[in-house]
Amino acid sequence: MNKRIIIAGGGFFGMYLAEQLSLLGHDVSLYEKEQNFMSRASYNNQARVHNGYHYPRSILTALRSRLSFPRFVEEFRDCVSSDFDKYYLISELLGKVSASQFRLFCERIGADCDYAPARIEKLVNPQLINACFTVKEFAFDSFKLRDIMLQRLDAAGVRYHCGYSVDKVESTGAGIIAHISKLESGLTESYYADHVFNCTYANLNYLLDQSEIELIPLKHEMTEMCLVDVPDELKSTGFTIMCGPFFSVMPFPSVGLHSFSHVRYTPHYEWHDKPLEKYHNSYSKFDEDIKVSAWQYMLKDAARYMPVLNECRYERSLWEVKTLLPRSETDDSRPILFRPNHGIKGFHCIMGGKIDNVYDAVEAIKNINLI
Ligand SMILES: Cc1cc2nc3c(=O)[nH]c(=O)nc-3n(C[C@H](O)[C@H](O)[C@H](O)COP(=O)(O)OP(=O)(O)OC[C@H]3O[C@@H](n4cnc5c(N)ncnc54)[C@H](O)[C@@H]3O)c2cc1C
């Protein structure tokens, strides 16, 4: 039987799930807090379409990425930028993986990996880099992705609203009452739903805290992703050094620049949500944070490995709260979080650690007999 469904959070996950559920004939309303869809983590990220290479310490995550990569690239062909060469460099001195281990890992997950051409090897410091590999990894344009998802929501008949915050859910016995406030006017209205999906990523525990439901353990990082103009010889290339306190620089198609992240300097600080402990709202923390760029530190370290990076021109930074499951700290895995009927029957919390995890999210909700 078709259900009335409310989805909190208009990032890529909320939009995608809204469309899928509506196509099944459910009556779906999607509420987004910001004035635009996909303006939080689904925009403020490195835009990497993962193809497994990034996860030599979590073979399961790597294999899941290998499955979702061709599917995402095919489904969102017009949003995916594949017109650049991607290189993974291995630094054994501080790294957690050797060149031969990385090759073997790529073989195991069936991912292309060849030695990079000599002109690429010439760009790196041979005292710090042991091997350079050409790999197949792409980037996505999140503006195009958002526009395509909006068209798909229209086609699927989803009702969607920006500037609305889902603040609280309550059980009515038969279903759920969701209290939703319009941010412009401050007015709150209450709506009935059979199911409410919480797709609010860094803000996931806000709705739980407000509804007096036990918090889900989450780790948050205040992150800085720099946007830079790279020298001409690097324009159609991207580089990632594996696997340790290194950096990634790769095309960021939405604005025609390169994103620049550093494992040591992109996260500025971290905090945890824990059940039965006082809740600290992630977005309030974000709003109050005094953002001082670590670009100079990122550059100074990265240029030791690739001196040509000294010619990058810093443009600006994207700041965002990055949210991870606590277990990702130890093995760097990116499983989805799925808590069906969390605290209230029909209230489901869902979060993915990377964009292509959305396919795992769709699989997961099959367990609640809606798909
Ligand atoms: C620095 C960084 C780098 C990353 N790099 C990559 C990468 O290269 N590749 C990759 O695949 N993934 C990457 N990720 C992860 C990826 O960004 C996330 O997995 C993905 O964007 C999560 O999508 P989402 O829709 O769950 O979250 P979001 O896009 O954050 O969407 C959640 C939405 O919920 C809204 N919201 C919050 N509270 C409420 C409320 N109460 N009511 C209504 N709406 C609400 C928010 O405004 C937001 O729009 C990165 C993340 C970060 C932060």
Side-chain angles (χ1 to χ4, degrees), residues 8-14 31-34 36-50 140 164-167 199-203 206-207 223-225 266 283 320-323 350-356:
F12 182 61
F13 275 72
Y31 291 92
E32 164 55 40
K33 195 172 188 290
E34 303 288 335
N36 269 314
F37 288 95
M38 279 183 63
S39 53
R40 296 296 309 231
S42 297
Y43 173 71
N44 297 313
N45 66 66
Q46 188 129 42
R48 185 193 312 268
V49 185
H50 282 281
F140 62 90
Y164 286 83
S165 172
V166 182
D167 292 325
C199 300
T200 58
Y201 189 66
N203 214 26
Y206 163 78
L207 196 41
T223 60
E224 178 187 14
M225 184 75 56
T266 284
Y283 284 1
E320 190 50 277
V321 178
K322 183 172 191 168
T323 299
I350 196 146
M351 191 195 88
K354 51 193 178 62
I355 289 285
D356 59 286

Side-chain angles (χ1 to χ4, degrees), residues 17 21 197 338 350 361-371:
L17 293 185
L21 290 165
F197 285 83
F338 178 52
I350 196 146
V362 172
E363 275 301 304
I365 64 175
K366 285 184 178 162
N367 295 329
I368 42 177
N369 290 330
L370 281 164
I371 286 191

Side-chain angles (χ1 to χ4, degrees), residues 166-183:
V166 182
D167 292 325
K168 190 174 173 182
V169 285
E170 278 179 308
S171 173
T172 59
I176 298 177
I177 295 289
H179 301 280
I180 301 175
S181 57
K182 186 172 186 181
L183 294 173

Side-chain angles (χ1 to χ4, degrees), residues 53-93:
Y53 301 101
H54 216 64
Y55 299 105
R57 293 192 292 131
S58 174
I59 194 97
L60 192 62
T61 298
L63 287 169
R64 294 302 307 168
S65 287
R66 293 283 299 135
L67 288 179
S68 50
F69 179 83
R71 191 169 165 191
F72 186 89
V73 170
E74 170 63 19
E75 184 172 354
F76 295 103
R77 203 176 308 132
D78 296 340
C79 320
V80 172
S81 165
S82 56
D83 57 352
F84 64 96
D85 298 320
K86 188 69 208 279
Y87 302 101
Y88 269 55
L89 316 181
I90 306 296
S91 176
E92 293 181 2
L93 200 62

Side-chain angles (χ1 to χ4, degrees), residues 41-287:
S42 297
Y43 173 71
N44 297 313
N45 66 66
Q46 188 129 42
R48 185 193 312 268
V49 185
H50 282 281
N51 193 9
Y53 301 101
H54 216 64
Y55 299 105
R57 293 192 292 131
S58 174
I59 194 97
L60 192 62
T61 298
L63 287 169
R64 294 302 307 168
S65 287
R66 293 283 299 135
L67 288 179
S68 50
F69 179 83
R71 191 169 165 191
F72 186 89
V73 170
E74 170 63 19
E75 184 172 354
F76 295 103
R77 203 176 308 132
D78 296 340
C79 320
V80 172
S81 165
S82 56
D83 57 352
F84 64 96
D85 298 320
K86 188 69 208 279
Y87 302 101
Y88 269 55
L89 316 181
I90 306 296
S91 176
E92 293 181 2
L93 200 62
L94 290 175
K96 297 184 176 114
V97 62
S98 68
S100 54
Q101 284 169 333
F102 186 72
R103 285 270 298 186
L104 194 64
F105 159 73
C106 291
E107 240 172 66
R108 282 177 72 195
I109 62 166
D112 295 350
C113 174
D114 292 312
Y115 283 102
R119 69 186 159 76
I120 296 300
E121 284 183 0
K122 279 193 196 132
L123 294 174
V124 307
N125 174 352
Q127 285 175 333
L128 293 178
I129 296 292
N130 301 83
C132 307
F133 295 112
T134 305
V135 301
K136 187 176 172 187
E137 192 180 77
F138 301 153
F140 62 90
D141 180 325
S142 66
F143 289 154
K144 286 189 182 162
L145 192 57
R146 178 195 59 197
D147 292 347
I148 283 180
M149 284 314 303
L150 283 171
Q151 285 167 18
R152 286 172 48 156
L153 291 184
D154 282 332
V158 173
R159 282 188 299 273
Y160 54 84
H161 315 270
C162 279
Y164 286 83
S165 172
V166 182
D167 292 325
K168 190 174 173 182
V169 285
E170 278 179 308
S171 173
T172 59
I176 298 177
I177 295 289
H179 301 280
I180 301 175
S181 57
K182 186 172 186 181
L183 294 173
E184 209 174 52
S185 63
L187 292 178
T188 297
E189 292 188 359
S190 303
Y191 298 99
Y192 172 84
D194 300 301
H195 294 267
V196 174
F197 285 83
N198 180 359
C199 300
T200 58
Y201 189 66
N203 214 26
L204 201 92
N205 275 323
Y206 163 78
L207 196 41
L208 306 192
D209 185 57
Q210 295 288 305
S211 310
E212 294 174 17
I213 297 172
E214 188 169 287
L215 301 189
I216 294 174
L218 291 176
K219 176 190 174 188
H220 304 283
E221 294 173 346
M222 190 68 69
T223 60
E224 178 187 14
M225 184 75 56
C226 298
L227 293 180
V228 300
D229 192 13
V230 295
D232 284 347
E233 60 191 307
L234 301 187
K235 286 264 192 280
S236 54
T237 60
F239 295 86
T240 294
I241 304 197
M242 292 301 287
C243 162
F246 306 126
F247 65 92
S248 272
V249 52
M250 61 185 285
F252 188 75
S254 327
V255 294
L257 292 167
H258 273 55
S259 61
F260 203 121
S261 68
H262 194 296
V263 170
R264 198 179 286 146
Y265 303 113
T266 284
H268 281 234
Y269 56 91
E270 64 181 54
W271 67 98
H272 288 80
D273 294 344
K274 291 184 181 161
L276 309 178
E277 288 192 8
K278 186 173 160 34
Y279 173 62
H280 300 280
N281 186 290
S282 296
Y283 284 1
S284 306
K285 254 187 178 330
F286 179 86
D287 292 341

